[in-house]
């Protein structure tokens, strides 16, 4: 899973990236502190994997991972070259979802590029730049194929799609709200890799005092939630400064710190949960003395395809999957004990893998 972090300058974007990845990206109180994109790989926190490692004492414990890409702050006119320009948007075209950091705190010491904190305006400023960037992609494709469209029926159909899509987006509507009419259009649409077609998770960055009630008393956060609800996006409340402090602590110290603040989870936990929900992802687990590992798959994936995440041979030569629920395995104390209890299922090719399944695949190639 790859997530792109965007937002206006000075909204806490790079501070959040630093705390999530501990990568030490430059975070400064002036626009365009981030020039080159920062990339960090983060382990997905999963207490189930920790419990399996305690049970099996494996040589290796391998969590699922998320790649974060942090680009320079965008400003009005970025798509036309303002600020650091549109070239940085190319760095997030390949991400699965966008994390849009929105400033929801007042602080006279941290400048706002537009002079005041107004989340809806800030979101719309960014969305407009993403739309302009997407329209540029569509224009390039249109120019490339429209001359040949008169002699090629398929290209003519694609040109018609682009014309409809451009009209939709020039009206200020995001690509994600566009409806394709058939499978061919869906395939073409997917190849454009439009930024405004990607799922969005809004990170409402608040002051420390607003964390305890999850931003319920913060009017800026309510604005973000209202906006997100209108487009079916996820929202989570975070204090980037607190996350920065947490990133400097050990796991035990961080847990104690959160407990002292009356918080159940860190910003990373919230973000991972939101990204899994919005992308329709789940994790299954494999366990043994060599390795305990979490594997990320799309919800609804059948057993052979889930096995293919480990190795293509597993999918090609799939025979069956021995499946036990995580809780049942921990309660039983071992896979063999769970088998003796009759709670390990023998599943075939049509079995749909569930979140938290612990699986042993049988295959033959």
């Amino acid at each position: 899973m790859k997530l792109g972090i965007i937002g206006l300058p000075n909204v806490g974007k790079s501070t959040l990236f630093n705390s999530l990845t501990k990568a030490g990206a430059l975070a400064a109180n002036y626009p365009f502190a981030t020039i080159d994109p920062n990339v960090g790989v983060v382990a997905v926190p999963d207490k189930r994997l920790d419990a399996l490692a305690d049970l099996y004492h494996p040589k290796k414990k391998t969590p699922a991972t998320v790649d974060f890409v942090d680009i320079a702050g965008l400003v009005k006119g970025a798509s036309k070259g303002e600020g650091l320009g549109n070239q940085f948007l190319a760095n997030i075209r390949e991400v699965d979802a966008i994390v849009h950091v929105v400033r929801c705190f007042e602080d006279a010491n941290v400048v706002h590029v537009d002079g005041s904190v107004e989340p809806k305006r800030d979101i719309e400023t960014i969305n407009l730049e993403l739309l302009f960037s997407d329209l540029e992609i569509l224009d390039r494709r249109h120019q490339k194929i429209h001359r040949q469209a008169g002699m090629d029926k398929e290209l003519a159909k694609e040109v018609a799609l682009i014309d409809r899509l451009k009209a939709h987006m020039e009206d200020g509507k995001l690509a994600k709200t566009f409806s394709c009419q058939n499978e061919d259009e869906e395939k073409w649409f997917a190849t454009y890799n439009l930024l405004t077609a990607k799922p969005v998770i809004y990170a409402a960055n608040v002051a420390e005092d607003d964390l305890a009630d999850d931003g319920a008393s913060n009017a800026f956060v309510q604005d973000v939630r209202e906006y997100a609800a209108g487009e079916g996006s996820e929202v989570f409340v975070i204090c980037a400064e607190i996350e920065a402090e947490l990133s400097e602590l050990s796991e035990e110290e961080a847990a104690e710190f959160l407990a002292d603040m009356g918080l159940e989870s860190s910003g990373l936990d919230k973000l991972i949960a939101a990204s899994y929900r919005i992308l329709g992802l789940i994790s299954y687990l494999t366990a043994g003395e060599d390795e305990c590992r979490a594997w990320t798959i799309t919800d609804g994936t059948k057993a052979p395809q889930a096995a293919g995440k480990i190795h293509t041979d597993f999918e090609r030569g799939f025979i069956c999957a021995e499946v036990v629920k995580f809780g049942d395995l921990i309660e039983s104390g071992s896979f063999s004990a769970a088998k003796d209890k009759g709670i390990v299922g023998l599943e075939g090719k049509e079995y749909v893998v569930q979140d938290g399944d612990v699986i042993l695949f049988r295959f033959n190639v």
Side-chain angles (χ1 to χ4, degrees):
M1 180 165 59
K2 183 180 279 191
L3 303 177
I5 303 178
I6 66 170
L8 292 171
N10 297 344
V11 296
K13 206 165 46 62
S14 291
T15 302
L16 175 60
F17 174 83
N18 288 350
S19 61
L20 295 179
T21 64
K22 301 183 184 180
L26 174 64
N29 180 23
Y30 53 90
F32 317 124
T34 311
I35 296 177
D36 295 319
N38 296 303
V39 180
V41 181
V42 179
V44 174
D46 193 332
K47 291 178 180 177
R48 299 171 302 189
L49 185 62
D50 297 335
L52 287 176
D54 289 340
L55 187 65
Y56 281 88
H57 304 291
K59 297 171 186 172
K60 189 163 65 166
K61 181 177 75 171
T62 309
T65 59
V66 179
D67 289 359
F68 285 102
V69 182
D70 174 36
I71 65 167
L74 300 171
V75 293
K76 193 177 293 182
S79 59
K80 302 299 179 188
E82 291 297 320
L84 286 174
N86 189 21
Q87 68 269 32
F88 294 98
L89 289 173
N91 293 308
I92 57 168
R93 280 208 179 272
E94 302 304 319
V95 301
D96 300 303
I98 289 172
V99 181
H100 186 161
V101 183
V102 185
R103 179 170 168 174
C104 294
F105 64 90
E106 298 273 16
D107 187 341
N109 296 316
V110 180
V111 296
H112 190 293
V113 288
D114 288 328
S116 62
V117 179
E118 248 183 80
K120 284 188 177 179
R121 177 205 61 204
D122 294 350
I123 291 171
E124 286 168 356
T125 294
I126 295 291
N127 281 347
L128 194 58
E129 297 311 314
L130 299 184
L131 274 171
F132 284 147
S133 180
D134 282 349
L135 283 167
E136 188 180 315
I137 294 291
L138 293 176
D139 281 336
R140 284 186 205 154
R141 179 63 182 165
H142 194 282
Q143 290 169 13
K144 185 175 181 179
I145 67 173
H146 85 280
R147 288 182 183 175
Q148 303 159 347
M151 300 173 288
D152 187 317
K153 288 183 180 179
E154 288 303 301
L155 287 181
K157 289 177 184 176
E158 187 182 355
V159 166
L161 166 66
I162 293 174
D163 287 339
R164 283 184 15 248
L165 182 51
K166 281 181 62 180
H168 177 87
M169 294 169 68
E170 284 167 352
D171 200 27
K173 298 171 185 171
L174 305 182
K176 69 175 75 175
T177 64
F178 180 80
S179 297
C180 292
Q181 296 178 346
N182 52 55
E183 285 186 13
D184 284 340
E185 288 195 349
E186 288 172 1
K187 287 176 185 174
W188 288 321
F189 183 90
T191 64
Y192 305 145
N193 221 355
L194 301 176
L195 293 168
T196 61
K198 296 183 184 296
V200 174
I201 304 162
Y202 291 103
N205 188 16
V206 301
E208 180 180 335
D209 293 344
D210 290 322
L211 265 185
D213 68 353
D214 202 35
S217 56
N218 183 314
F220 296 140
V221 173
Q222 301 318 309
D223 286 345
V224 175
R225 284 181 168 141
E226 183 182 314
Y227 193 97
E231 62 177 36
S233 295
E234 290 270 351
V235 179
F236 74 102
V237 175
I238 195 168
C239 175
E241 292 296 335
I242 291 296
E243 292 301 313
E245 290 182 42
L246 283 171
S247 70
E248 300 300 320
L249 303 176
S250 67
E251 281 188 32
E252 294 76 15
E253 290 171 332
E256 190 176 325
F257 184 87
L258 288 170
D260 288 345
M261 293 189 68
L263 302 174
E264 294 181 359
S265 54
S266 69
L268 176 59
D269 293 332
K270 291 180 184 177
L271 175 51
I272 296 296
S275 57
Y276 269 61
R277 281 195 303 271
I278 204 165
L279 292 171
L281 301 175
I282 62 171
S283 292
Y284 76 86
L285 305 138
T286 53
E289 292 179 0
D290 285 333
E291 183 181 34
C292 288
R293 184 162 180 167
W295 303 86
T296 301
I297 57 172
T298 303
D299 194 5
T301 299
K302 292 182 178 179
Q305 288 69 48
K309 287 286 288 186
I310 300 174
H311 197 285
T312 52
D313 283 350
F314 281 37
E315 181 176 356
R316 188 160 52 91
F318 179 87
I319 299 172
C320 67
E322 295 183 27
V323 182
V324 61
K325 301 300 178 190
F326 164 76
D328 291 341
L329 175 58
I330 296 299
E331 190 177 320
S332 300
S334 71
F335 207 86
S336 59
K339 269 187 171 182
D340 291 341
K341 287 184 180 180
I343 54 175
V344 175
L346 200 60
E347 307 293 350
K349 291 182 178 180
E350 295 304 309
Y351 177 71
V352 176
V353 175
Q354 304 298 304
D355 187 51
D357 279 352
V358 183
I359 305 179
L360 175 63
F361 292 106
R362 300 293 184 188
F363 70 102
N364 182 33
V365 288

